[in-house]
């Protein structure tokens, strides 16, 4: 079968991506509620909030390669990814629901313990859930499958934004509803995604395009040792670009709602409109990313995504009040962010085999997490300082993304021109 005759099994990708909805819910809980809960609710500083987010991401970053490597080696009856997805999903739903008790009692320490446990649970689920798509998708179609994966993940975040719009700071309702959503996604996976049966059903086409699963090669060090110098540079360049893009975005997202309240005079409930603008613009750009990359190549499309983000940050820095310019800046950020989020992992997957999917997914996620550690941490100190304050948020985000452009000359692998494919109906 020629590559151009490949067809993406859209129904299958959607089914295995539903669990990403739960990950999207947790990410938006982290982005849009924790900054308000800690700063406005518990009366803590931006530095404290940034330190808590950084500590949680650092902890999960250290655990990710462990979970990814274990899922590569797992030989459970239901599949190698399934035990991690189910355990993480059920644990996160239970602990997030429990956190409401401590939130209502204004008990900071128990609430933070619940927050860290939720982060660890999602950390267990994330590499396995993310690796499941390339596990079950022929390599030439990975970017197209990643588009669907990212859309569903974004829908989870959008659901939390809608809850904020209607319930404002009633985090009891928001957290319980979010916990119920994560629980339902995990139950759906339990009954609708028989991992091993799905692999067996597609074994011929997966063997042709992805190779036979190597159950012995699960070490990133061994894989990297076998790379050529150019391949090592490309692999490192993709991870480096991804890190700086994520650092820039999470520096922005960790405080942009508090920025809107303090600098633009918006009510907290109304800030959900800003997040909706980011999601809507991102949804449109996600749908177009694979087609753009098919024409321009993945590398050039990445550069374009950075340019959109940089333009959005600079535009936001130039406005001192909420208005059309502020909305336009967030639309640009949303477009760039969504395009960037689709491409790095498929580029890395082009250089790997099936025996290292889990560990490579973990390393990729670690580069995301490292950006999420450093971005909010530095932003917190800048916003709390008398010299810089909130006005430093967007200039810092703009400055942080510049190194991503500089890594592009290193990348000579994973930059394939995507062939046009048609979805199965």
């Amino acid at each position: 079968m020629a590559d151009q005759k490949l067809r993406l099994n859209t129904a299958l990708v959607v089914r295995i991506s539903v669990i990403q909805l739960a990950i999207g819910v947790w990410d938006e809980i982290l982005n849009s509620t924790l900054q308000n809960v800690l700063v406005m609710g518990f009366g803590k500083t931006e530095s404290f909030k940034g330190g808590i987010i950084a500590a949680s991401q650092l902890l999960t970053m250290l655990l990710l390669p462990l979970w990814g490597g274990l899922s590569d080696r797992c030989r459970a009856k239901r599949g190698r990814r399934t035990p991690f997805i189910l355990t993480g999903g059920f644990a996160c739903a239970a602990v997030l629901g429990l956190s409401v008790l401590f939130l209502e009692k204004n008990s900071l320490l128990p609430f933070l313990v619940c927050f860290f446990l939720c982060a660890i649970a999602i950390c267990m689920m994330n590499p396995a859930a993310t690796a499941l798509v390339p596990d079950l998708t022929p390599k030439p179609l990975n970017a197209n499958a990643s588009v669907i994966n990212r859309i569903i993940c974004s829908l989870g975040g959008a659901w939390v934004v809608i809850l904020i719009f209607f319930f404002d700071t009633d985090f009891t309702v928001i957290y319980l509803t979010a916990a119920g959503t994560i629980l339902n996604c995990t139950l759906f996976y339990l009954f609708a995604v028989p991992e091993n049966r799905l692999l067996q059903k597609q074994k011929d086409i997966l063997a042709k395009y992805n190779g036979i699963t190597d159950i012995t090669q699960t070490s990133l060090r061994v894989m990297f040792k076998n790379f050529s110098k150019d391949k090592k540079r490309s692999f490192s360049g993709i991870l480096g670009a991804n890190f700086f893009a994520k650092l820039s975005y999470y520096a922005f997202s960790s405080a942009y709602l508090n920025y809107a309240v303090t600098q633009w005079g918006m009510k907290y409930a109304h800030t959900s409109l800003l997040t909706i603008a980011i999601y809507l613009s991102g949804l449109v750009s996600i749908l177009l990313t694979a087609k753009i990359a098919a024409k321009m190549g993945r590398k050039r499309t990445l550069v374009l995504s950075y340019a959109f983000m940089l333009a959005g940050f600079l535009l936001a820095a130039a406005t001192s009040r909420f208005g059309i310019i502020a909305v336009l800046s967030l639309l640009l950020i949303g477009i760039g962010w969504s395009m960037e989020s689709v491409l790095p992992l498929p580029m890395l997957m082009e250089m790997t085999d099936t025996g290292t999917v889990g560990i490579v997914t973990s390393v990729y996620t670690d580069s995301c997490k490292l950006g999420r550690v450093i971005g909010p941490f530095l932003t917190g100190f800048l916003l709390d300082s008398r010299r810089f304050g909130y006005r430093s948020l967007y200039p810092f985000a703009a400055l942080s993304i510049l190194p991503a452009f500089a890594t592009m000359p290193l990348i000579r692998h994973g930059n394939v021109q995507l062939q046009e494919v048609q979805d199965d109906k």
Side-chain angles (χ1 to χ4, degrees):
M1 182 184 294
D3 283 359
Q4 53 265 37
K5 293 184 179 179
L6 276 175
R7 295 290 184 271
L8 184 67
N9 189 336
T10 304
L12 174 61
V13 175
V14 169
R15 201 186 343 159
I16 62 180
S17 297
V18 166
I19 195 64
Q20 290 286 339
L21 194 75
I23 296 173
V25 166
W26 170 252
D27 279 348
E28 198 57 46
I29 288 289
L30 185 64
N31 283 340
S32 293
T33 71
L34 193 66
Q35 55 186 284
N36 185 275
V37 167
L38 293 181
V39 177
M40 308 295 183
F42 285 104
K44 298 300 179 179
T45 64
E46 289 283 354
S47 299
F48 179 86
K49 175 216 68 184
I52 291 296
I53 293 176
S56 71
Q57 298 307 299
L58 182 60
L59 173 62
T60 56
M61 188 180 76
L62 295 174
L63 292 174
L64 275 168
L66 170 66
W67 299 131
L70 287 176
S71 73
D72 278 337
R73 295 191 292 269
C74 179
R75 294 297 175 264
K77 185 177 180 180
R78 285 187 58 92
R80 56 179 176 168
R81 314 297 183 192
T82 295
F84 301 90
I85 293 172
L86 295 180
T87 303
F90 287 132
C92 184
V95 177
L96 184 58
L98 179 64
S99 71
V100 170
L101 296 177
F102 305 113
L103 188 60
E104 290 180 339
K105 294 180 179 179
N106 205 38
S107 300
L108 178 61
L109 183 58
F111 173 79
L112 290 178
V113 170
C114 289
F115 165 74
F116 275 90
L117 290 176
C118 282
I120 292 171
I122 289 293
C123 167
M124 178 184 290
M125 174 200 292
N126 200 335
T130 305
L132 198 62
V133 174
D135 277 348
L136 293 166
T137 305
K139 272 188 178 181
L141 301 177
N142 270 346
N144 302 75
S146 181
V147 167
I148 297 173
N149 197 259
R150 286 301 308 167
I151 289 174
I152 294 177
C153 185
S154 296
L155 290 176
W159 173 233
V160 175
V161 173
I162 291 170
L163 293 175
I164 292 172
F165 180 76
F166 283 105
F167 298 105
D168 196 14
T169 56
D170 188 351
F171 292 114
T172 296
V173 174
I174 293 171
Y175 280 21
L176 287 177
T177 305
T181 304
I182 294 171
L183 176 62
N184 285 325
C185 291
T186 309
L187 288 171
F188 177 88
Y189 179 90
L190 174 63
F191 294 109
V193 185
E195 181 187 345
N196 276 346
R197 270 191 281 164
L198 293 173
L199 282 168
Q200 186 66 21
K201 189 176 179 180
Q202 297 190 98
K203 65 177 182 179
D204 292 336
I205 192 170
L206 291 175
K208 179 176 181 179
Y209 290 102
N210 297 5
I212 304 298
T213 300
D214 183 353
I215 63 172
T216 60
Q217 185 181 331
T218 56
S219 167
L220 181 69
R221 181 183 60 82
V222 171
M223 183 194 73
F224 206 69
K225 184 178 179 181
N226 292 331
F227 279 172
S228 65
K229 288 185 178 180
D230 275 350
K231 213 168 186 180
K232 289 177 181 177
R233 291 192 192 100
S234 293
F235 196 88
S236 301
I238 294 168
L239 289 176
N242 183 66
F243 160 71
F244 286 113
K246 297 303 190 289
L247 186 156
S248 176
Y249 180 79
Y250 288 121
F252 147 78
S253 67
S254 69
Y256 80 108
L257 296 185
N258 287 352
Y259 181 98
V261 172
T262 59
Q263 300 297 108
W264 292 344
M266 298 182 69
K267 294 182 179 179
Y268 179 71
H270 294 169
T271 62
S272 62
L273 297 173
L274 305 180
T275 310
I276 289 173
I278 292 175
Y279 274 112
L280 289 178
S281 60
L283 179 61
V284 174
S285 64
I286 284 177
L287 291 170
L288 296 175
T289 297
K291 292 184 178 180
I292 295 172
K295 303 295 184 183
M296 296 178 56
R298 293 172 180 172
K299 181 176 172 179
R300 290 179 180 176
T301 307
L302 268 183
V303 174
L304 181 62
S305 74
Y306 302 152
F308 274 119
M309 290 174 67
L310 178 61
F313 294 141
L314 293 176
L315 201 59
T319 184
S320 59
R321 61 187 178 86
F322 177 71
I324 189 65
I325 295 178
V327 173
L328 179 60
S329 71
L330 294 176
L331 291 175
L332 291 171
I333 294 168
I335 290 171
W337 166 248
S338 297
M339 291 176 67
E340 190 280 335
S341 66
V342 168
L343 295 173
L345 184 57
M347 292 176 73
L348 293 173
M349 289 301 171
E350 287 293 327
M351 292 181 277
T352 64
D353 59 36
T354 56
T356 53
V357 169
I359 191 68
V360 169
T361 300
S362 297
V363 171
Y364 160 76
T365 309
D366 261 354
S367 72
C368 301
K369 294 283 186 181
L370 188 59
R372 203 166 193 170
V373 167
I374 297 175
F377 185 75
L378 293 179
T379 299
F381 279 103
L382 286 173
L383 300 189
D384 282 338
S385 70
R386 293 182 179 180
R387 181 178 179 182
F388 297 104
Y390 273 95
R391 69 179 184 274
S392 65
L393 176 63
Y394 287 106
F396 176 70
L399 185 65
S400 299
I401 203 170
L402 294 179
F405 289 96
T407 65
M408 291 296 105
L410 298 175
I411 301 174
R412 298 184 180 181
H413 293 80
N415 180 36
V416 297
Q417 296 284 129
L418 300 178
Q419 64 273 17
E420 294 291 340
V421 294
Q422 296 178 351
D423 291 353
D424 285 342
K425 294 183 180 179

